Amino acid sequence: MCIRDSSYVYPAERRPIRLLLRQRMSYIWARAELMTHLSMNQMAEGHTPASKGGHNRDVWEERILAQYTHPLHRMAVSCDMELMRVYDHQIQRLEAEVIRQAKKLLGRDYHLLLTVPGIGKVLGMTLLFEIDTIERFPRVKNFLSYSRLVKGSVASAGKFKGLTGGKMGNAYLRWAFGEAAIIAKRNHPLLTPYAERLCSKRGKFKGNAILATKLARSVYHMLDKGTAFDPERVVATSI
């Protein structure tokens, strides 16, 4: 199985947009580390981590500060929270610009992706600019392999030698389809019971991976044919 077309070159005019999207992701991960750091520090001092209070950083900071009396502990909390607010602002700024570019350059494909349960604006942007154009993949199995959802095969003299490519391809696509699968199975009249049967028979990890692969397969055909998502085709195949 071919992982990708080695002759393909990502368009130079879209690389800055993809860079912004990946920069946004790095800020998300950095912000998550700060959140974990705050919770770990509270537990280290014998406290129960304060509930976050949604996206209101002021409420969360007040709840954490209420647990401390030492001024240096309180200073450490304030420093982390101040950094988190900076990340919040920059993430929103990058997100707004990438969405604008997505609608401007690839509006049809962007709106098609939003018809998939589990794919919202963030995952839609990620898929859009990491895929670039579905025509670069001659067959669906090439796309799945590049998305790290299946492994390529190694053969010699017509004989199967094993699997390869587990870490080749695009890690961002693998993450996006994995997240989409987890979200899609939460509350969908067809996908939820289907995912439950998958996890019951194959285990949670394998079940999620299978659903992610099926969503990726659907996305390939959607973008190739210009059609919206059809959940019945996903659940039609045997488990």
Side-chain angles (χ1 to χ4, degrees), residues 25-54:
M25 185 62 67
S26 70
Y27 289 173
I28 290 285
W29 291 334
R31 185 178 64 181
E33 288 184 5
L34 282 173
M35 291 180 175
T36 300
H37 181 250
L38 280 166
S39 295
M40 293 295 290
N41 280 352
Q42 291 172 75
M43 289 189 289
E45 294 299 321
H47 304 300
T48 300
S51 58
K52 294 181 175 61

Side-chain angles (χ1 to χ4, degrees), residues 24 26-44 47-58 60-61 64 67-68 76-77 79-89 91-92:
R24 177 194 174 280
S26 70
Y27 289 173
I28 290 285
W29 291 334
R31 185 178 64 181
E33 288 184 5
L34 282 173
M35 291 180 175
T36 300
H37 181 250
L38 280 166
S39 295
M40 293 295 290
N41 280 352
Q42 291 172 75
M43 289 189 289
H47 304 300
T48 300
S51 58
K52 294 181 175 61
H55 296 290
N56 191 326
R57 303 299 185 205
D58 294 339
W60 189 27
E61 183 174 7
I64 298 175
Q67 297 179 333
Y68 296 111
V77 171
C79 287
D80 278 349
M81 293 300 301
E82 191 171 331
L83 274 177
M84 202 174 301
R85 290 187 181 94
V86 172
Y87 279 123
D88 288 340
H89 174 72
I91 288 167
Q92 292 172 5

Side-chain angles (χ1 to χ4, degrees), residues 140-211:
V140 66
K141 66 180 182 179
N142 301 104
F143 177 62
L144 296 178
S145 182
Y146 182 65
S147 301
R148 293 190 179 185
L149 293 168
V150 297
K151 292 184 178 181
S153 61
V154 178
S156 177
K159 295 182 179 180
F160 178 72
K161 297 293 185 179
L163 299 173
T164 188
K167 292 188 178 180
M168 297 179 68
N170 190 302
Y172 294 94
L173 288 178
R174 177 65 185 87
W175 169 82
F177 282 120
E179 288 292 302
I182 292 172
I183 298 170
K185 70 177 188 178
R186 289 177 182 169
N187 188 26
H188 190 276
L190 292 179
L191 296 183
T192 299
Y194 179 73
E196 290 174 350
R197 293 196 301 271
L198 271 176
C199 293
S200 176
K201 184 173 182 179
R202 302 294 187 90
K204 185 176 180 180
F205 179 82
K206 184 65 174 178
N208 288 343
I210 292 173
L211 182 57

